[in-house]
Amino acid sequence: MSNPLVLMETSSGDILLELFEDRAPATVANFLRYVDEDFYTNTIFHRVINDFMIQGGGLSVRMEEKATHEPIANEAGNGLQNLRGTIAMARTSEPHSATAQFFINVEDNPELDHRDDSAEGFGYCVFGKVEDGMDVVDKIRKLKTKAQGEHEAVPLDMVVITNVSRFE
């Protein structure tokens, strides 16, 4: 069985993602549920840190948080690492709080990997990787940012996710 592919179309270009269904089945199912519901249409990359990651999938173009489904169990202990080009679930300090937001690692971030089952060591679940479009990710990571309300590192030039769909 081959892994599902998802095409993320953004105002900065397209990003093709391979999702690791075999390693993070609940996380991939959750992500695809949002994809199939067109949840990500007209959301933005609202947090961009050049030497860390780009985060999106939860805020509208008006910087309003979208309502989500219930949080999912964190599958960070799946052996996958937060390496450059991987996509992982964003969450709060509570390990099992991920809903719709995700981030793409722009550098290797071993400090985000699962170490143990404590709140501090649980890590962030990697559930896929960029198959094509790292040039787009690198373009986004270099954007100038500013603080906006409670959000730090918001790009001055908004990057809109215009569509996310399964790619056959």
Side-chain angles (χ1 to χ4, degrees):
M1 183 197 95
S2 61
N3 286 322
L5 296 174
V6 166
L7 183 64
M8 182 176 293
E9 299 168 65
T10 80
S11 55
S12 293
D14 295 349
I15 303 166
L16 184 65
L17 300 163
E18 176 186 358
L19 306 181
F20 302 138
E21 200 167 37
D22 53 333
R23 302 289 287 276
T27 306
V28 169
N30 176 69
F31 185 76
L32 288 173
R33 177 183 186 186
Y34 286 109
V35 168
D36 293 341
E37 293 171 351
D38 290 328
F39 179 89
Y40 295 118
T41 300
N42 294 323
T43 59
I44 59 170
F45 280 100
H46 67 275
R47 188 165 171 239
V48 171
I49 303 174
N50 183 25
D51 58 354
F52 184 41
M53 55 91 230
I54 63 172
Q55 180 176 337
L59 300 182
S60 72
V61 293
R62 297 169 165 267
M63 293 290 294
E64 294 165 343
E65 199 152 334
K66 292 185 70 172
T68 61
H69 298 293
E70 63 289 340
I72 58 169
N74 189 332
E75 296 177 302
N78 61 16
L80 297 171
Q81 296 174 297
N82 282 275
L83 301 174
R84 173 174 159 76
T86 57
I87 183 171
M89 291 305 293
R91 60 173 177 81
T92 67
S93 56
E94 205 295 298
H96 304 287
S97 60
T99 54
Q101 290 189 35
F102 57 84
F103 61 91
I104 298 173
N105 289 291
V106 299
E107 299 285 344
D108 291 353
N109 292 311
E111 69 279 7
L112 300 181
D113 294 341
H114 181 270
R115 294 185 303 281
D116 56 53
D117 289 346
S118 70
E120 298 76 36
F122 213 96
Y124 292 77
C125 178
V126 171
F127 66 98
K129 71 170 195 232
V130 174
E131 193 60 44
D132 190 32
M134 269 314 280
D135 57 325
V136 175
V137 172
D138 286 333
K139 187 161 74 173
I140 296 169
R141 80 184 278 191
K142 292 181 176 120
L143 293 173
K144 294 201 178 329
T145 62
K146 65 171 194 250
Q148 188 171 331
E150 64 189 41
H151 300 282
E152 44 144 7
V154 177
L156 294 177
D157 295 321
M158 186 180 292
V159 179
V160 180
I161 298 169
T162 54
N163 190 46
V164 183
S165 57
R166 293 177 189 248
F167 187 79
E168 304 305 328

